[in-house]
């Protein structure tokens, strides 16, 4: 990338010049309204206008520091000769949105795309971190294809309970099981609630947020090393102002997301996901993000790479540590330096350097946290793809997060028709579940739930928890939180709500899972399945208006990324007329 001194800047080439520069009545209106806000001509004239898309809100626990960070970005933009404007966009909070933030990922993506298109924007800083904000911001910016840099929220500090490190989500599930088993008193449970989330920032296990921000970085959209910095470190504030300076350069050079998001960049992203032992959600998001760039990713591509790249990040839920330890051990750059042989190092990044150049000097400072390949956390990558007559279009599983004896298992199914049914009956002792049973949940997919919520770590009955059972084979068309664990087969496709084979499973059917063989088989004859299919009928559609109607009509299945059909890559939308 050129330096400011090395190239003549021509302000008439800026997109925002169409709004600010003409000597006409409409531009008079634009300029006079900037002056209404207290800006002088010198503030905006002949400068790139930089949108800071801020997903802060009082409802987003992971982004509470974003008001400060936006000011730090502005400082960087001013320093580099740009004109910063902060624009709030929908704040997807993983903790509070129902039925699931995933239901709204595409809505934020659409808002981002149209916000960038309708305003005089030459470059954008995308402020996100909490799970779905990451793919949503990137999907929208990719479709708008305006120069963008992603500013990651950074992980929160580690949690603590009585001297023991707590990891987001992961330790909540663990201790909830202990509580249900009668091993944890109410006072201890209350102490855990006080200690598990102790600072701004996203979940600090290798959940979806840590996975997707790392992926954003390896795709080339973040400053080098930025995604590992804990949210409250002063380094994080300095990184924010650096983002502000760098986006001005990207705007002048017109380096857009689609310049960076190549097939090789997505290959790198999948390699990184596997080495991290990343969230299973990354598969859906990566397919959707690639789709916006006109690149088709298949489930087979993920499975192929999972057989080549082992998990080397020893981070919960697959490992022992949390993101603060990962940062101190060298962070994402150190991890990437260990898997260089699998990466396309010539991919461009927003730093103006290649990925390989960004990795120069990267070192591992604690090789128990970031393992060498010959001492990996697992023998294979983080996410496997299963297929069979129960999932003709595929299903995914994270074997590193499961008890090994369940990776090859055949057992009788106990079927719950939806989550309400599961909640009502799972602890009913008359079901007489054993550890060999396979718990099956229907109607939890993109259409069925709706929104393919993170219900996939289905609860184990209390009476089995009391017997010491901590893992069982569980199958659904739902997703699972990246912080979750267990032998959970997820994203079964096609989903049950549209008549996928999962809808036809009945209690007592035998199901066979063989992870090494990538097999997911329902042991019922084809003839019997046809008889059941003839008797099956979809549930009535509850969403007849508004966003729910749009969602139901346009959502795709998990192997297609759960994007809206009309938002897939296609001919670019026209620039707005300015009359
Ligand atoms: Fe925001 Fe986990 S709740 S990343």
């Amino acid at each position: 990338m050129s330096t400011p001194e090395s190239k003549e800047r021509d302000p008439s080439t800026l997109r925002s010049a169409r709004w600010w520069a003409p000597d006409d009545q409409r531009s008079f209106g634009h300029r006079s309204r900037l002056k209404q806000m207290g800006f002088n001509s010198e503030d905006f004239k002949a400068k790139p206008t930089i949108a800071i898309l801020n997903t802060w809100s009082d409802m987003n626990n992971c982004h509470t520091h974003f008001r400060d960070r936006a000011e730090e970005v502005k400082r960087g933009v001013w320093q580099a000769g740009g004109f910063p404007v902060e624009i709030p966009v929908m704040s997807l909070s993983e903790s509070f949105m129902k039925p699931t933030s995933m239901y709204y990922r595409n809505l934020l993506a659409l808002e981002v795309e149209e916000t960038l298109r309708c305003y005089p924007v030459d470059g954008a800083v995308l402020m996100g971190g909490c799970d779905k904000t990451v793919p949503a911001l990137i999907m929208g910016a990719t479709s708008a294809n305006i120069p963008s840099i992603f500013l990651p929220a950074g992980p929160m500090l580690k949690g603590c309970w009585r001297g023991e490190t707590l990891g987001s989500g992961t330790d909540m599930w663990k201790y909830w099981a202990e509580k249900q088993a009668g091993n944890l008193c109410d006072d201890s449970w209350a102490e855990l609630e006080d200690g598990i989330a102790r600072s701004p920032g996203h979940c600090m296990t290798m959940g979806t947020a840590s996975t997707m921000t790392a992926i954003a970085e390896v795709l080339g959209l973040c400053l080098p090393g930025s995604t590992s910095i804990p949210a409250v470190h002063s380094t994080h504030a300095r990184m924010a102002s650096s983002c502000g300076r760098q986006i001005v350069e990207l705007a002048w050079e017109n380096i857009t997301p689609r310049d960076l998001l190549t097939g090789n960049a997505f290959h790198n992203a999948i390699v990184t996901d596997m080495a991290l032992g990343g969230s299973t959600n990354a598969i859906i998001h990566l397919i959707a993000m690639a789709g916006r760039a006109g690149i088709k990713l298949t489930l087979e591509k993920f499975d192929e790479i999972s057989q080549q790249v082992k998990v080397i990040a020893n981070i919960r839920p697959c490992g022992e540590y949390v993101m603060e330890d990962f940062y101190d051990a060298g962070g994402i750059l150190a991890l990437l330096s260990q898997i260089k042989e699998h990466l396309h190092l010539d991919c461009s990044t927003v730093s103006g350097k290649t990925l390989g150049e960004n990795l120069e000097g990267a070192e591992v400072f604690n090789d128990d946290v970031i393992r060498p390949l010959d001492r990996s956390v697992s023998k294979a990558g983080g996410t496997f793809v299963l297929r069979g007559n129960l999932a003709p279009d595929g299903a995914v599983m994270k074997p590193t997060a499961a008890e090994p004896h369940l990776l090859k298992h055949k057992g009788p199914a106990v079927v719950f028709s939806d989550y309400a049914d599961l909640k009502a009956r799972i602890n009913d002792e008359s079901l007489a579940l054993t550890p060999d049973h396979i718990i099956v949940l229907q109607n939890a997919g993109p259409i069925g739930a709706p929104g393919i919520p993170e219900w996939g770590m289905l609860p184990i009955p209390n009476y089995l928890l009391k017997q010491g059972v901590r893992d069982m084979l569980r199958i659904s068309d739902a997703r699972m939180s990246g912080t979750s664990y267990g032998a959970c087969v997820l994203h079964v496709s096609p989903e049950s709500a549209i008549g996928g084979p999962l809808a036809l499973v009945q209690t007592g059917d035998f199901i066979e899972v063989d992870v090494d063989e990538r097999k997911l088989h329902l042991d019922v004859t084809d003839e019997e399945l046809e008889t059941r299919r003839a008797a099956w009928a979809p549930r009535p559609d509850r969403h007849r208006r508004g966003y729910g109607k749009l969602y139901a009509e346009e959502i795709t299945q998990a192997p297609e990324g759960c994007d809206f059909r009309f938002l897939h890559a296609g001919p670019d939308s026209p620039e707005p007329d300015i009359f």
Side-chain angles (χ1 to χ4, degrees):
M1 191 177 301
S2 306
T3 61
E5 296 74 34
S6 67
K7 211 164 201 181
E8 278 294 304
R9 307 300 203 191
D10 178 1
S12 70
T13 63
L14 293 172
R15 184 171 177 267
S16 62
R18 296 180 65 225
W19 276 259
W20 309 141
D23 184 17
D24 61 15
Q25 176 255 333
R26 180 56 65 199
S27 291
F28 168 92
H30 299 149
R31 292 190 297 267
S32 67
R33 293 305 179 164
L34 285 178
K35 288 173 179 176
Q36 178 186 12
M37 293 190 280
F39 294 113
N40 289 313
S41 296
E42 293 74 19
D43 291 326
F44 61 86
K45 194 174 166 198
K47 292 179 170 183
T49 301
I50 303 299
I52 302 166
L53 299 191
N54 195 343
T55 51
W56 173 91
S57 93
D58 270 336
M59 271 291 172
N60 197 323
N61 45 297
C62 298
H63 296 178
T64 51
H65 54 318
F66 269 5
R67 280 177 153 173
D68 290 340
R69 293 295 175 270
E71 294 305 314
E72 287 141 5
V73 173
K74 287 178 192 172
R75 188 171 76 228
V77 173
W78 286 123
Q79 287 167 350
F83 173 46
V85 289
E86 184 179 350
I87 305 175
V89 289
M90 190 176 189
S91 186
L92 305 184
S93 165
E94 193 60 28
S95 302
F96 304 127
M97 294 186 95
K98 306 298 174 197
T100 161
S101 63
M102 182 64 177
Y103 187 56
Y104 294 103
R105 183 198 67 182
N106 299 343
L107 184 58
L108 173 57
L110 183 57
E111 185 191 9
V112 167
E113 178 181 350
E114 296 306 323
T115 296
L116 293 178
R117 183 170 291 122
C118 72
Y119 283 125
V121 173
D122 300 301
V125 177
L126 313 172
M127 299 181 65
C130 190
D131 284 23
K132 312 306 176 290
T133 58
V134 184
L137 288 160
I138 293 172
M139 288 159 69
T142 303
S143 293
N145 208 31
I146 282 173
S148 299
I149 193 165
F150 187 85
L151 192 165
M156 69 176 92
L157 298 179
K158 60 178 74 173
C160 185
W161 175 61
R162 299 187 179 190
E164 185 184 323
T165 294
L166 295 177
S168 306
T170 305
D171 285 298
M172 176 184 71
W173 316 119
K174 175 179 147 186
Y175 284 109
W176 176 247
E178 295 307 321
K179 185 169 187 296
Q180 297 305 101
N183 299 333
L184 195 77
C185 68
D186 288 347
D187 286 348
S188 293
W189 183 243
E191 287 171 15
L192 284 159
E193 185 176 301
D194 290 341
I196 201 165
R198 304 194 298 176
S199 83
H202 62 67
C203 289
M204 73 333 227
T205 41
M206 191 51 71
T208 304
S210 301
T211 305
M212 290 309 300
T213 50
I215 279 173
E217 180 166 335
V218 82
L219 283 170
L221 297 170
C222 306
L223 290 182
S226 60
T227 56
S228 310
I229 306 169
V232 295
H233 280 204
S234 58
T235 317
H236 197 272
R238 296 196 297 273
M239 178 271 292
S241 62
S242 298
C243 285
R245 286 187 291 275
Q246 190 62 14
I247 189 59
V248 176
E249 288 306 302
L250 293 168
W252 279 120
E253 298 292 330
N254 197 27
I255 307 288
T256 67
R258 279 186 247 156
D259 293 331
L260 306 176
L261 299 182
T262 60
N264 284 348
F266 280 102
H267 170 94
N268 289 344
I270 300 171
V271 166
T272 306
D273 178 31
M274 295 302 161
L276 290 170
S279 165
T280 46
N281 289 325
I283 292 191
I284 294 179
H285 297 321
L286 271 167
I287 290 171
M289 288 155 61
R292 296 300 185 98
I295 294 165
K296 184 166 174 53
L297 294 183
T298 62
L299 291 182
E300 277 60 42
K301 173 87 174 164
F302 287 86
D303 200 60
E304 183 191 312
I305 295 177
S306 78
Q307 297 181 46
Q308 299 161 2
V309 183
K310 305 165 184 173
V311 178
I312 60 168
N314 190 10
I315 309 292
R316 299 177 200 193
C318 291
E320 303 164 57
Y321 297 95
V322 293
M323 289 302 289
E324 206 178 326
D325 306 308
F326 184 68
Y327 176 65
D328 291 341
I332 185 66
L333 297 180
L335 177 128
L336 295 175
S337 73
Q338 300 295 296
I339 52 171
K340 267 184 180 172
E341 66 200 86
H342 296 285
L343 298 169
H344 295 286
L345 296 171
D346 57 347
C347 287
S348 303
T349 76
V350 292
S351 72
K353 297 179 179 170
T354 64
L355 179 65
E357 288 168 335
N358 289 344
L359 297 184
E360 281 169 16
E363 263 185 79
V364 174
F365 302 115
N366 182 336
D367 67 3
D368 194 38
V369 178
I370 300 172
R371 301 273 187 88
L373 280 168
D374 61 5
R375 224 166 16 89
S376 56
V377 175
S378 77
K379 293 198 191 83
T383 313
F384 287 12
V385 175
L386 309 182
R387 284 188 192 270
N389 68 345
L390 189 47
D393 293 344
V396 306
M397 190 180 187
K398 192 172 183 175
T400 45
E403 288 189 7
H405 73 279
L406 293 169
L407 301 180
K408 184 174 167 63
H409 180 76
K410 185 171 182 176
V414 58
V415 179
F416 298 92
S417 60
D418 55 28
Y419 203 85
D421 181 33
L422 175 83
K423 203 167 175 202
R425 294 195 298 128
I426 188 67
N427 292 316
D428 179 350
E429 297 197 20
S430 70
L431 290 177
L433 296 192
T434 69
D436 283 340
H437 273 90
I438 297 176
I439 306 174
V440 173
L441 175 65
Q442 299 168 327
N443 291 303
I447 299 259
I452 188 167
E454 294 183 339
W455 294 341
M457 185 183 174
L458 308 178
I460 293 170
N462 288 347
Y463 55 90
L464 290 181
L465 290 172
K466 286 177 183 150
Q467 292 170 25
V469 177
R470 290 293 180 272
D471 200 1
M472 290 175 70
L473 205 51
R474 291 160 268 181
I475 299 176
S476 73
D477 43 15
R479 293 177 301 117
M480 173 172 93
S481 165
T483 66
S484 299
Y485 53 88
C488 304
V489 178
L490 311 158
H491 314 176
V492 170
S493 300
E495 65 171 301
S496 50
I498 60 169
L502 189 69
L504 310 179
V505 185
Q506 296 179 356
T507 293
D509 290 347
F510 272 75
I511 295 175
E512 185 186 356
V513 172
D514 187 332
V515 171
D516 281 346
E517 296 290 322
R518 307 295 197 267
K519 181 177 175 185
L520 179 59
H521 180 72
L522 176 62
D523 204 6
V524 173
T525 64
D526 291 347
E527 295 72 28
E528 171 61 17
L529 286 178
E530 279 316 306
T531 304
R532 292 183 191 180
R533 186 178 304 287
W536 179 85
R539 294 180 160 202
D541 183 4
R542 292 184 295 145
H543 296 275
R544 290 164 188 251
R545 64 167 301 281
Y547 180 69
K549 184 169 189 296
L550 174 75
Y551 177 96
E553 289 172 358
E554 294 292 339
I555 196 71
T556 58
Q557 294 287 289
E560 300 160 283
C562 297
D563 201 359
F564 290 156
R565 290 182 187 88
F566 71 96
L567 292 177
H568 288 164
D572 280 339
S573 301
E575 279 284 299
D577 293 322
I578 303 179
F579 297 128

